[in-house]
Amino acid sequence: MLPQPARPGIAAVLAALVFSTQARADGDLVRGAQAARACMTCHSFAPGRHMTGPSLASVWGRKAGTADGFVRYSDALKRSRLVWDKRNLDAWLKNPAALVPGNAMGFPGIADARIRADLVAYLEAVSAGRVTVPDRGLPNLKAVDAASRVTAIHYCGDAYRLTTADQKTHTFWEFNLRFKTDGSGSGPLAGKPVLIGTGMQGDRAAVVFARPEEISTLIHRECP
Ligand code: HEC
């Protein structure tokens, strides 16, 4: 079995709320946590864990475009001079393109003011440390089982043949195998790429390397 990237389940998110579930005056944290699932394909709520978008762990009160270590902000957001308070977060979540034209968040916005209020309350609570959010953004690729640890990659014809540490081989049409890198703290160990499934179909997968330089050195052009 190839491990699928972890998906934040609603139960897990709710279980992570270590506070009483009463509604705050202006937004409901339980509903906010549910709504935040829409953000988790791109954002982690764990400190320092950047994905497509920056970590939202301490966004409250921060200047827009300044999360430590996130290097992919649009110029538009960096120049916006916004501070993420209640009003600006609400406007951003309502219509990001209207608040900051040319921003890079591929998200259309949320029309429902109630849901936005819940989300803003949730973002404030996360930043204040009033809710605990486990880092469910991506799997820890340093701790994978033998079935996912790639020990050899051969390229022959139009196929990649991968051997994993459990002595199995997996053959992929070259167009169905993606090569990725994860240089973060939870990326693979140096020289130890990891095989992960990338979709519903077993014929697609990705190999994640610790560094881009490994991609060519660890792949050998060789037929069985
Ligand atoms: C498709 C991916 C995607 C989704 C879904 C998404 N975001 Fe974002 N978000 C981004 C990206 C990328 C940026 C950086 C935008 C830029 O630099 O212009 C961003 C930026 C932000 C920022 C500004 C952060 C900062 O440090 O200035 C906030 C706040 C934010 N998103 C909140 C949310 C919330 C809340 C949701 C869910 C309702 C959400 N986003 C959904 C990709 C996404």
Side-chain angles (χ1 to χ4, degrees):
M1 266 291 287
L2 307 177
Q4 299 286 330
R7 277 171 196 279
I10 180 170
V13 172
L14 291 177
L17 302 175
V18 292
F19 57 92
S20 64
T21 57
Q22 92 282 5
R24 286 169 57 78
D26 44 4
D28 182 284
L29 294 181
V30 173
R31 283 204 311 263
Q34 284 173 33
R37 291 169 67 207
C39 322
M40 290 180 180
T41 47
C42 294
H43 291 283
S44 166
F45 290 83
R49 189 50 165 137
H50 303 311
M51 297 169 61
T52 304
S55 161
L56 295 178
S58 50
V59 73
W60 191 266
R62 190 170 68 200
K63 242 183 102 209
T66 60
D68 252 3
F70 186 75
V71 296
R72 286 171 279 116
Y73 282 115
S74 63
D75 290 340
L77 191 64
K78 281 191 290 193
R79 286 201 206 105
S80 70
R81 295 167 176 269
L82 292 171
V83 171
W84 291 126
D85 58 13
K86 188 167 161 182
R87 194 171 59 100
N88 285 335
L89 278 170
D90 181 72
W92 174 251
L93 295 178
K94 183 176 184 186
N95 187 342
L99 184 69
V100 183
N103 82 79
M105 178 156 111
F107 187 73
I110 299 168
D112 187 326
R114 184 71 224 217
I115 297 176
R116 294 198 309 273
D118 294 340
L119 262 171
V120 170
Y122 182 72
L123 287 171
E124 183 189 13
V126 168
S127 291
R130 286 205 309 277
V131 301
T132 308
V133 188
D135 186 0
R136 307 190 142 260
L138 291 169
N140 179 4
L141 299 180
K142 287 192 171 56
V144 295
D145 56 18
S148 306
R149 247 182 302 127
V150 177
T151 53
I153 308 175
H154 292 105
Y155 179 63
C156 176
D158 68 355
Y160 288 102
R161 202 161 36 83
L162 271 57
T163 311
T164 40
D166 59 355
Q167 308 301 332
K168 295 216 164 78
T169 57
H170 312 261
T171 306
F172 296 94
W173 177 36
E174 61 183 340
F175 213 73
N176 282 349
L177 188 67
R178 297 197 218 168
F179 296 126
K180 305 186 181 192
T181 53
D182 184 350
S184 77
S186 56
L189 295 165
K192 309 266 183 220
V194 171
L195 178 63
I196 59 172
T198 56
M200 303 300 284
Q201 296 136 296
D203 60 342
R204 318 247 154 140
V207 180
V208 187
F209 296 85
R211 307 184 314 133
E213 292 80 2
E214 291 182 357
I215 294 177
S216 52
T217 50
L218 294 180
I219 299 174
H220 302 287
R221 192 181 278 272
E222 184 188 307
C223 292

